Amino acid sequence: MSETHPRYLWWNGRQVRWEEATVHVTELGWSTVGAVFEGIRAYWNAETGEAYVFRLREHLERLLRSMRLVRLATTWSIGDLTSAILQLLRDNECREDTYIQPVAYRAAGPKTLSGFSEESGLYIVTRPMPSHLLTGRIVRAKVSSWRRISDEVMPPRVKNISNYRNGQLAAMEAQLDGYDQAILLNQQGKVAEAPGACVMLVRNGKLITPDITQSILESITRDALLRLAREELGLQVEERAVDRTELYVAEEVFLCGTAYEITPVGEIDHYQIGDGQAGPVTRALERLYHDIARGIDPRRPEWRTPVGLAERAAVPGAGS
Ligand SMILES: Cc1ncc(COP(=O)(O)O)c(C=O)c1O
């Protein structure tokens, strides 16, 4: 793999070289309004010489749900996309933590607001994304003056690219105001999510998070952590509406998502959370999530899809 970009992309059914995956400049503009995408991670394990895609099936199921919701034809099956992603990771020699982004877009018809055609195109791109799990990263957050989009306006439960303008406005505001991250409330004034991540808090030892009708993405990391908390750590879990001030008085708050993984929040609106460091529940979940995703802990094998890099390395001449 080259330093700046991967060798190949997958585009509409075949692998193409990076340089050849181009479209005309006039495609800029309306073309991404109707697009949906996925963000998936593969974790590298140096011991086994293998990378593992985390919850690949669940991500692809959500991609197809997103496509159906915005009325894009689902030409490719989960099996097709699984094979495409694994082949791409092998051919791009992804021997490091990697982000995998499939993007489905409207392929034909007028590129205007009213243009309507179900025909879809789909590409998949990979890029290095080192994990920050267990690195001690911690963020300061602000409750945004922007509200999260709602189901009756633009459904936040799917990964519609247009949804991300809302989070971008909040993230820009937070950064200009000297914070690392924003937390958005929903239209009812309850905690929704952060741009690119769900929010969890700990109160009296219970893990609490907004339920999936609170204007949040149906997050796969959120689901994984709730299961691990209940089933492996024996914690009590509450999925419910969360007041803004519960964030301020929580013992622990953290963000979670594919890109954010588990990111502790040390301060919100100048209220220190706990002792300002990652708390014990956050740290226990972080360790478990890291070890399971990277294939160090053998539990939840169904969450890890091996890429096949170890097998390929064992075959002389393969991958050259
Ligand atoms: C708005 C938003 N919320 C939450 C998440 C977390 O979702 P997941 O755990 O499926 O990555 C993401 C994506 O990472 C997101 O973009």
Side-chain angles (χ1 to χ4, degrees):
M1 169 162 155
S2 110
E3 298 242 317
T4 49
H5 60 73
R7 200 177 299 156
Y8 300 109
L9 263 77
W10 186 94
W11 194 12
N12 290 335
R14 61 189 185 94
Q15 259 180 215
V16 289
R17 296 194 76 87
W18 175 274
E19 297 78 9
E20 289 160 18
T22 56
V23 292
H24 195 263
V25 67
T26 56
E27 290 295 308
L28 282 173
W30 291 113
S31 59
T32 57
V33 167
V36 297
F37 74 106
E38 262 309 314
I40 311 169
R41 265 189 192 264
Y43 285 91
W44 173 243
N45 182 324
E47 287 286 303
T48 59
E50 186 57 282
Y52 303 95
V53 187
F54 188 69
R55 304 198 74 181
L56 179 56
R57 184 175 185 89
E58 290 85 341
H59 278 284
L60 293 176
E61 283 170 353
R62 188 174 62 188
L63 177 66
L64 299 192
R65 276 204 304 281
S66 296
M67 290 177 74
R68 276 197 300 276
L69 194 77
V70 302
R71 301 188 196 283
L72 284 174
T74 51
T75 314
W76 309 101
S77 69
I78 290 192
D80 298 332
L81 296 173
T82 300
S83 309
I85 287 172
L86 298 180
Q87 187 69 44
L88 196 59
L89 290 167
R90 287 195 292 269
D91 289 350
N92 282 336
E93 303 279 346
C94 294
R95 295 173 195 279
E96 61 197 318
D97 293 344
T98 302
Y99 188 69
I100 305 146
Q101 189 178 51
V103 178
Y105 56 93
R106 206 166 299 289
K111 299 283 189 294
T112 64
L113 261 188
S114 56
F116 182 73
S117 146
E118 289 198 7
E119 200 177 315
S120 63
L122 202 156
Y123 73 83
I124 306 168
V125 64
T126 63
R127 66 179 155 93
M129 185 184 269
S131 168
H132 66 261
L133 287 169
L134 309 175
T135 62
R137 182 176 119 157
I138 192 154
V139 296
R140 294 173 62 243
K142 162 194 166 83
V143 173
S144 183
S145 69
W146 296 94
R147 291 290 173 102
R148 188 68 182 130
I149 49 170
S150 59
D151 195 58
E152 74 276 26
V153 175
M154 199 146 72
R157 76 179 63 253
V158 294
K159 281 181 89 75
N160 183 12
I161 285 194
S162 301
N163 290 358
Y164 284 78
R165 177 54 97 190
N166 173 238
Q168 215 174 40
L169 288 168
M172 290 189 293
E173 177 193 63
Q175 281 163 30
L176 289 170
D177 288 350
Y179 298 84
D180 305 306
Q181 185 54 290
I183 295 175
L184 290 103
L185 305 181
N186 62 22
Q187 299 297 318
Q188 290 70 43
K190 302 293 182 184
V191 175
E193 60 184 343
C198 284
V199 180
M200 295 203 178
L201 55 147
V202 178
R203 296 196 64 194
N204 302 319
K206 265 190 237 161
L207 187 66
I208 303 169
T209 195
D211 65 81
I212 56 166
T213 65
Q214 297 297 322
S215 298
I216 66 169
L217 180 70
E218 291 186 347
S219 154
I220 290 157
T221 317
R222 172 187 177 281
D223 173 77
L225 295 180
L226 293 180
R227 286 170 197 253
L228 293 178
R230 274 195 196 103
E231 296 162 21
E232 307 294 344
L233 300 180
L235 291 175
Q236 253 183 287
V237 168
E238 280 182 10
E239 297 177 68
R240 60 166 173 81
V242 174
D243 286 338
R244 170 185 189 153
T245 51
E246 286 189 273
L247 295 174
Y248 302 151
V249 298
E251 290 135 37
E252 304 180 34
V253 177
F254 63 89
L255 308 177
C256 67
T258 298
Y260 277 84
E261 301 175 297
I262 295 179
T263 300
V265 182
E267 193 186 305
I268 303 173
D269 293 340
H270 304 285
Y271 289 99
Q272 182 177 296
I273 309 302
D275 64 1
Q277 302 300 315
V281 172
T282 310
R283 280 187 276 115
L285 277 171
E286 187 181 8
R287 167 58 69 185
L288 200 53
Y289 182 70
H290 171 269
D291 288 0
I292 286 176
R294 216 178 269 295
I296 296 167
D297 186 323
R299 280 175 282 184
R300 313 276 163 165
E302 69 282 11
W303 288 359
R304 287 183 296 277
T305 305
V307 170
L309 287 160
E311 214 170 287
R312 189 183 179 102
V315 179
S320 54

